[in-house]
Amino acid sequence: MTKIAIIGGTGVYAPKLLEDVRMVAQKTPYGDVEVAVGGFQGVEAAFIARHGAGHSVPPHLINYRANIMALHMLGIERIIATAAVGSTFHEFKPGQFVLADQFIDFTKNRKATFYEGGASGVIHCDMTVPYCPALREALAKSGAELDLVIHNGGTYVCSEGPRFETAAEIQAIKILGGHLVGMTSVPEVILARELGMCYASICLVTNFAAGITTGILTHSEVVEVMRKSLHNIHSIIVSALKHISRERDCDCVRSLPDTGVGQ
Ligand SMILES: [Zn+2]
């Protein structure tokens, strides 16, 4: 049975897509997680609000390991995440969608692995293609069908937050090849891969990043752009489902460390 999860980022809180929703308090070794579980277009689905109800948890304090482990323990194989991002790249404009295909990690203080030695072992997980190509393809097809601008591929730079970046940092990110800046995709995508789950992120460009255009950045501006695009995000996810094959035929499982976890 296909099982997917949606991790709602900034501005995406209510599991409105799910039918017959029930709340599950999933226990994990990293803490308990509130997960909405229900049906979704004939598949089993789960929803987690990444920042908690009402955006109450900042990016650097999210319990990423508990969230991903909770979904894994519920039998989820595929995760579609949403993210509000700034753009450093003029081709990626506010209001447009980008499916990240690579990341650069600028975080500083996060637990980014399940494997910390001892009983869990020491594992070096392949991360050549961190975001699932099959899920991205399904989402890209869906966006095209809906006549939305959705770019399939872009490098997401994850900063520690919760502050926004300086103009100099954005210049450095551009030089390094970063197209998008956000605060949450790392370690989420890494942890999903460590458990053999497929992961894709629908990034909504809410603004150009610091120094790309004049003016200051505000969180309310980000939330407002997200609010206007919420319907489109829901539509992209719903219409992507028919493009997702029942059996997984991607390398996300095959690049899993040889631990038996998730297999
Ligand atoms: Zn995959």
Coordinates of all heavy atoms in Angstrom, one line a residue, residues 64-127:
Y64 N 13.7 17.4 14.4 CA 13.6 16.8 13.1 C 13.7 15.3 13.2 O 13.0 14.5 12.5 CB 14.8 17.3 12.2 CG 14.7 18.8 11.8 CD1 15.4 19.7 12.6 CD2 14.0 19.2 10.8 CE1 15.4 21.1 12.2 CE2 13.9 20.5 10.4 CZ 14.6 21.5 11.2 OH 14.5 22.8 10.8
R65 N 14.5 14.8 14.1 CA 14.7 13.3 14.2 C 13.4 12.7 14.7 O 13.0 11.6 14.2 CB 15.8 13.0 15.1 CG 17.2 13.4 14.6 CD 18.3 12.7 15.2 NE 18.5 13.0 16.6 CZ 19.4 12.6 17.4 NH1 20.4 11.8 16.9 NH2 19.5 12.9 18.7
A66 N 12.7 13.3 15.6 CA 11.5 12.7 16.1 C 10.4 12.8 15.0 O 9.7 11.8 14.7 CB 10.9 13.5 17.3
N67 N 10.3 13.8 14.2 CA 9.4 13.9 13.1 C 9.6 12.8 12.1 O 8.6 12.2 11.7 CB 9.5 15.3 12.4 CG 8.9 16.4 13.3 OD1 8.2 16.2 14.3 ND2 9.1 17.7 12.8
I68 N 10.8 12.7 11.6 CA 11.1 11.7 10.6 C 10.9 10.3 11.1 O 10.4 9.4 10.4 CB 12.5 11.9 9.9 CG1 12.5 13.3 9.3 CG2 12.8 10.9 8.9 CD1 11.6 13.6 8.2
M69 N 11.4 10.1 12.3 CA 11.3 8.7 12.9 C 9.8 8.4 13.1 O 9.4 7.2 12.9 CB 12.0 8.6 14.2 CG 12.0 7.2 14.8 SD 12.7 5.9 13.7 CE 14.4 6.1 14.0
A70 N 9.0 9.3 13.5 CA 7.6 9.1 13.7 C 6.9 8.6 12.4 O 6.1 7.7 12.4 CB 6.9 10.3 14.2
L71 N 7.2 9.3 11.3 CA 6.6 8.9 10.0 C 7.1 7.5 9.6 O 6.4 6.7 9.1 CB 7.0 10.0 9.0 CG 6.4 11.4 9.2 CD1 6.9 12.3 8.1 CD2 4.9 11.3 9.2
H72 N 8.4 7.3 9.8 CA 8.9 5.9 9.5 C 8.2 4.9 10.3 O 7.9 3.8 9.8 CB 10.4 5.9 9.8 CG 11.1 4.6 9.6 ND1 11.2 4.1 8.3 CD2 11.7 3.7 10.4 CE1 11.9 2.9 8.4 NE2 12.1 2.7 9.6
M73 N 8.0 5.1 11.6 CA 7.3 4.1 12.4 C 5.9 3.9 12.0 O 5.3 2.8 12.3 CB 7.5 4.5 13.9 CG 8.9 4.5 14.4 SD 9.1 5.2 16.1 CE 8.5 3.9 17.1
L74 N 5.3 4.9 11.4 CA 3.9 4.8 10.9 C 3.9 4.1 9.5 O 2.8 4.0 8.9 CB 3.3 6.1 10.8 CG 2.9 6.8 12.1 CD1 2.6 8.2 12.0 CD2 1.7 6.0 12.8
G75 N 5.0 3.7 9.0 CA 5.1 2.9 7.7 C 5.1 3.8 6.5 O 4.9 3.4 5.4
I76 N 5.4 5.1 6.7 CA 5.5 6.0 5.5 C 6.7 5.8 4.7 O 7.8 5.6 5.2 CB 5.5 7.5 6.0 CG1 4.3 7.8 6.8 CG2 5.8 8.5 4.9 CD1 3.0 7.8 6.1
E77 N 6.6 5.7 3.4 CA 7.7 5.5 2.5 C 8.1 6.8 1.7 O 9.2 6.9 1.2 CB 7.3 4.4 1.5 CG 7.1 3.1 2.1 CD 6.8 2.0 1.1 OE1 6.2 2.4 0.0 OE2 7.0 0.8 1.3
R78 N 7.1 7.7 1.6 CA 7.4 8.9 0.8 C 7.0 10.1 1.5 O 5.9 10.1 2.1 CB 6.7 8.8 -0.6 CG 7.1 7.7 -1.5 CD 6.1 7.5 -2.5 NE 6.5 6.8 -3.7 CZ 6.0 5.6 -4.0 NH1 4.9 5.1 -3.4 NH2 6.4 5.0 -5.1
I79 N 7.8 11.2 1.4 CA 7.5 12.4 2.1 C 7.5 13.6 1.1 O 8.5 13.7 0.3 CB 8.5 12.8 3.2 CG1 8.5 11.7 4.3 CG2 8.3 14.1 3.8 CD1 9.6 11.8 5.3
I80 N 6.4 14.3 1.1 CA 6.4 15.6 0.3 C 6.4 16.7 1.3 O 5.4 16.8 2.1 CB 5.2 15.6 -0.6 CG1 5.2 14.5 -1.7 CG2 5.1 17.0 -1.3 CD1 4.0 14.4 -2.5
A81 N 7.4 17.5 1.3 CA 7.5 18.6 2.2 C 7.2 19.9 1.5 O 7.3 20.0 0.3 CB 8.9 18.7 2.8
T82 N 6.8 20.9 2.3 CA 6.6 22.3 1.7 C 7.6 23.2 2.4 O 8.0 23.0 3.6 CB 5.2 22.8 1.8 OG1 5.0 23.3 3.1 CG2 4.2 21.8 1.4
A83 N 8.1 24.2 1.7 CA 9.0 25.1 2.3 C 8.9 26.5 1.7 O 8.7 26.6 0.4 CB 10.5 24.6 2.0
A84 N 9.0 27.5 2.5 CA 9.0 28.9 2.0 C 10.5 29.2 1.9 O 11.3 29.0 2.8 CB 8.4 29.8 3.0
V85 N 10.9 29.7 0.7 CA 12.3 30.0 0.5 C 12.5 31.4 -0.1 O 11.6 32.0 -0.7 CB 13.0 29.0 -0.5 CG1 12.9 27.6 0.1 CG2 12.3 29.0 -1.9
G86 N 13.7 31.9 0.1 CA 14.1 33.1 -0.6 C 14.9 32.7 -1.8 O 15.5 31.6 -1.9
S87 N 14.9 33.6 -2.8 CA 15.6 33.2 -4.1 C 16.8 34.1 -4.2 O 16.8 35.3 -4.0 CB 14.7 33.4 -5.2 OG 15.4 33.4 -6.5
T88 N 17.9 33.5 -4.6 CA 19.1 34.3 -5.0 C 19.3 34.4 -6.5 O 20.3 34.9 -7.0 CB 20.4 33.6 -4.4 OG1 20.6 32.4 -5.2 CG2 20.3 33.3 -3.0
F89 N 18.3 33.9 -7.2 CA 18.5 33.6 -8.6 C 17.3 34.3 -9.4 O 16.1 34.0 -9.1 CB 18.4 32.1 -8.8 CG 18.7 31.6 -10.2 CD1 19.8 32.0 -10.9 CD2 17.8 30.6 -10.8 CE1 20.0 31.5 -12.2 CE2 18.0 30.1 -12.0 CZ 19.1 30.5 -12.7
H90 N 17.6 35.2 -10.3 CA 16.5 36.0 -10.9 C 15.5 35.1 -11.7 O 14.3 35.6 -11.8 CB 17.1 37.1 -11.8 CG 17.6 38.2 -11.0 ND1 16.8 39.1 -10.4 CD2 18.9 38.6 -10.7 CE1 17.5 40.0 -9.7 NE2 18.8 39.8 -9.9
E91 N 15.9 33.9 -12.1 CA 14.9 33.1 -12.8 C 13.9 32.5 -11.9 O 12.8 32.0 -12.4 CB 15.7 32.0 -13.6 CG 16.7 32.4 -14.6 CD 16.0 33.2 -15.7 OE1 15.0 32.7 -16.3 OE2 16.4 34.3 -16.0
F92 N 14.2 32.4 -10.6 CA 13.2 31.9 -9.7 C 12.5 33.1 -8.9 O 13.1 33.6 -8.0 CB 13.9 31.0 -8.7 CG 14.5 29.7 -9.2 CD1 15.4 29.0 -8.5 CD2 14.2 29.3 -10.5 CE1 16.0 27.8 -9.0 CE2 14.8 28.1 -11.0 CZ 15.7 27.4 -10.3
K93 N 11.3 33.4 -9.4 CA 10.7 34.6 -8.9 C 9.7 34.3 -7.8 O 9.1 33.2 -7.7 CB 10.0 35.3 -10.1 CG 11.0 35.7 -11.2 CD 10.2 36.3 -12.4 CE 11.2 36.9 -13.4 NZ 12.3 36.1 -13.8
P94 N 9.4 35.4 -7.0 CA 8.4 35.2 -5.9 C 7.1 34.7 -6.5 O 6.6 35.2 -7.6 CB 8.3 36.6 -5.3 CG 9.6 37.2 -5.5 CD 10.1 36.7 -6.9
G95 N 6.5 33.8 -5.8 CA 5.2 33.2 -6.3 C 5.4 31.9 -7.2 O 4.5 31.2 -7.4
Q96 N 6.7 31.7 -7.6 CA 6.9 30.5 -8.4 C 7.4 29.3 -7.5 O 7.8 29.6 -6.4 CB 8.0 30.8 -9.4 CG 7.6 31.8 -10.4 CD 8.7 32.0 -11.5 OE1 9.8 31.6 -11.4 NE2 8.3 32.7 -12.6
F97 N 7.3 28.1 -8.0 CA 7.7 26.9 -7.3 C 9.0 26.4 -7.8 O 9.2 26.4 -9.0 CB 6.6 25.9 -7.3 CG 5.3 26.3 -6.7 CD1 4.2 26.8 -7.5 CD2 5.1 26.2 -5.3 CE1 3.0 27.1 -6.9 CE2 3.9 26.6 -4.7 CZ 2.9 27.0 -5.5
V98 N 9.8 25.8 -6.9 CA 11.0 25.1 -7.3 C 11.1 23.8 -6.5 O 10.8 23.8 -5.3 CB 12.3 26.0 -6.9 CG1 13.5 25.3 -7.5 CG2 12.1 27.4 -7.5
L99 N 11.4 22.8 -7.3 CA 11.6 21.5 -6.6 C 13.1 21.3 -6.4 O 13.9 21.1 -7.4 CB 11.1 20.3 -7.5 CG 9.6 20.5 -7.9 CD1 9.2 19.5 -9.0 CD2 8.7 20.3 -6.6
A100 N 13.6 21.5 -5.2 CA 15.0 21.4 -5.0 C 15.6 20.1 -5.4 O 14.9 19.1 -5.1 CB 15.3 21.7 -3.5
D101 N 16.7 20.1 -6.0 CA 17.4 18.8 -6.3 C 18.7 18.6 -5.6 O 19.2 17.5 -5.6 CB 17.5 18.6 -7.8 CG 18.5 19.5 -8.5 OD1 18.8 20.6 -7.9 OD2 19.0 19.2 -9.6
Q102 N 19.2 19.6 -5.0 CA 20.5 19.6 -4.3 C 20.4 20.5 -3.1 O 19.6 21.4 -3.0 CB 21.7 20.0 -5.1 CG 22.0 19.0 -6.2 CD 22.7 17.8 -5.7 OE1 23.4 17.8 -4.7 NE2 22.4 16.6 -6.3
F103 N 21.3 20.2 -2.1 CA 21.4 21.2 -1.0 C 22.8 21.5 -0.6 O 23.7 20.7 -1.0 CB 20.6 20.7 0.3 CG 21.2 19.5 1.0 CD1 22.3 19.7 1.8 CD2 20.7 18.2 0.9 CE1 22.9 18.6 2.5 CE2 21.2 17.2 1.5 CZ 22.4 17.3 2.3
I104 N 23.0 22.6 0.0 CA 24.3 22.9 0.6 C 23.9 23.2 2.1 O 23.0 24.0 2.4 CB 25.0 24.2 0.0 CG1 25.3 23.9 -1.5 CG2 26.2 24.6 0.8 CD1 25.9 25.1 -2.3
D105 N 24.7 22.6 3.0 CA 24.3 22.7 4.4 C 25.1 23.8 5.1 O 26.3 23.6 5.3 CB 24.6 21.3 5.0 CG 24.3 21.3 6.5 OD1 23.7 22.3 7.0 OD2 24.6 20.3 7.2
F106 N 24.5 24.8 5.5 CA 25.1 25.9 6.3 C 24.5 25.9 7.7 O 24.6 26.9 8.4 CB 24.8 27.3 5.7 CG 25.7 27.6 4.5 CD1 26.7 26.8 4.1 CD2 25.6 28.8 3.9 CE1 27.6 27.1 3.1 CE2 26.5 29.2 2.8 CZ 27.5 28.3 2.4
T107 N 23.9 24.8 8.2 CA 23.5 24.8 9.6 C 24.6 24.6 10.5 O 25.7 24.1 10.1 CB 22.4 23.7 9.8 OG1 23.0 22.4 9.5 CG2 21.2 23.9 8.8
K108 N 24.4 24.8 11.8 CA 25.5 24.8 12.7 C 25.3 23.9 13.9 O 26.2 23.3 14.5 CB 25.8 26.2 13.3 CG 26.1 27.2 12.2 CD 26.4 28.6 12.9 CE 26.8 29.6 11.8 NZ 25.8 30.6 11.5
N109 N 24.0 23.8 14.4 CA 23.8 23.2 15.7 C 22.6 22.2 15.7 O 21.8 22.3 16.5 CB 23.5 24.3 16.8 CG 24.6 25.2 17.0 OD1 25.8 24.8 17.3 ND2 24.4 26.5 16.8
R110 N 22.6 21.3 14.7 CA 21.5 20.4 14.6 C 21.9 19.0 14.6 O 23.0 18.7 14.1 CB 20.7 20.7 13.3 CG 20.2 22.1 13.2 CD 19.5 22.4 11.9 NE 19.1 23.8 11.9 CZ 18.3 24.4 11.0 NH1 17.7 23.6 10.1 NH2 18.1 25.7 11.0
K111 N 21.1 18.1 15.2 CA 21.4 16.7 15.1 C 20.9 16.2 13.7 O 19.8 16.3 13.4 CB 20.6 16.0 16.1 CG 21.0 16.3 17.6 CD 22.2 15.5 17.9 CE 22.5 15.6 19.4 NZ 23.8 14.9 19.8
A112 N 21.9 15.8 12.9 CA 21.6 15.6 11.5 C 21.8 14.1 11.1 O 21.9 13.8 9.9 CB 22.5 16.4 10.6
T113 N 21.8 13.2 12.1 CA 21.9 11.8 11.8 C 21.2 11.0 12.9 O 21.1 11.4 14.0 CB 23.3 11.4 11.6 OG1 23.4 10.0 11.3 CG2 24.1 11.6 13.0
F114 N 20.8 9.8 12.5 CA 20.3 8.8 13.4 C 21.4 7.9 13.9 O 21.2 7.1 14.9 CB 19.2 7.9 12.8 CG 17.9 8.6 12.5 CD1 17.5 8.8 11.2 CD2 17.1 9.0 13.6 CE1 16.3 9.4 11.0 CE2 15.9 9.7 13.3 CZ 15.5 9.9 12.0
Y115 N 22.6 8.0 13.3 CA 23.7 7.1 13.5 C 24.8 7.7 14.3 O 25.6 8.5 13.7 CB 24.2 6.5 12.2 CG 23.1 5.8 11.4 CD1 22.6 6.4 10.3 CD2 22.6 4.6 11.8 CE1 21.5 5.8 9.6 CE2 21.6 4.0 11.1 CZ 21.0 4.6 10.0 OH 20.0 4.0 9.3
E116 N 24.7 7.5 15.6 CA 25.7 8.2 16.5 C 26.6 7.3 17.2 O 27.0 7.5 18.3 CB 24.9 9.1 17.5 CG 24.1 10.2 16.8 CD 23.6 11.2 17.8 OE1 22.8 10.9 18.6 OE2 24.1 12.4 17.7
G117 N 27.0 6.2 16.5 CA 27.8 5.2 17.1 C 27.1 4.3 18.1 O 25.8 4.4 18.1
G118 N 27.8 3.5 18.9 CA 27.1 2.7 19.8 C 26.2 1.7 19.1 O 26.5 1.2 18.0
A119 N 25.0 1.5 19.6 CA 24.1 0.5 19.1 C 23.6 0.9 17.7 O 23.4 0.0 16.8 CB 22.9 0.3 20.0
S120 N 23.6 2.2 17.4 CA 23.1 2.6 16.1 C 24.2 2.5 15.0 O 23.9 2.6 13.8 CB 22.5 4.0 16.2 OG 23.5 4.9 16.6
G121 N 25.4 2.4 15.4 CA 26.5 2.2 14.4 C 27.0 3.5 13.9 O 26.5 4.6 14.2
V122 N 28.0 3.4 13.0 CA 28.6 4.6 12.3 C 28.3 4.4 10.8 O 28.7 3.4 10.2 CB 30.1 4.7 12.5 CG1 30.7 5.8 11.7 CG2 30.4 4.9 14.0
I123 N 27.5 5.3 10.2 CA 27.1 5.1 8.9 C 27.4 6.4 8.1 O 27.1 7.5 8.6 CB 25.5 4.9 8.9 CG1 25.2 3.6 9.5 CG2 24.9 5.0 7.4 CD1 25.6 2.3 8.8
H124 N 27.9 6.2 6.9 CA 28.1 7.3 6.0 C 27.1 7.2 4.8 O 27.4 6.4 3.9 CB 29.5 7.4 5.5 CG 30.5 7.4 6.7 ND1 30.7 8.5 7.4 CD2 31.3 6.4 7.2 CE1 31.6 8.3 8.4 NE2 31.9 7.0 8.3
C125 N 26.0 7.9 4.8 CA 24.9 7.7 3.9 C 25.2 8.4 2.6 O 25.6 9.6 2.6 CB 23.7 8.2 4.5 SG 22.2 7.8 3.7
D126 N 25.0 7.8 1.5 CA 25.1 8.4 0.2 C 24.1 9.6 0.0 O 23.0 9.5 0.4 CB 24.8 7.4 -1.0 CG 24.9 8.1 -2.3 OD1 26.0 8.2 -2.8 OD2 23.9 8.5 -2.9
M127 N 24.6 10.7 -0.5 CA 23.7 11.9 -0.6 C 23.9 12.5 -2.0 O 23.7 13.7 -2.1 CB 24.1 12.9 0.6 CG 23.0 13.8 1.0 SD 21.5 13.0 1.6 CE 22.1 12.0 2.9

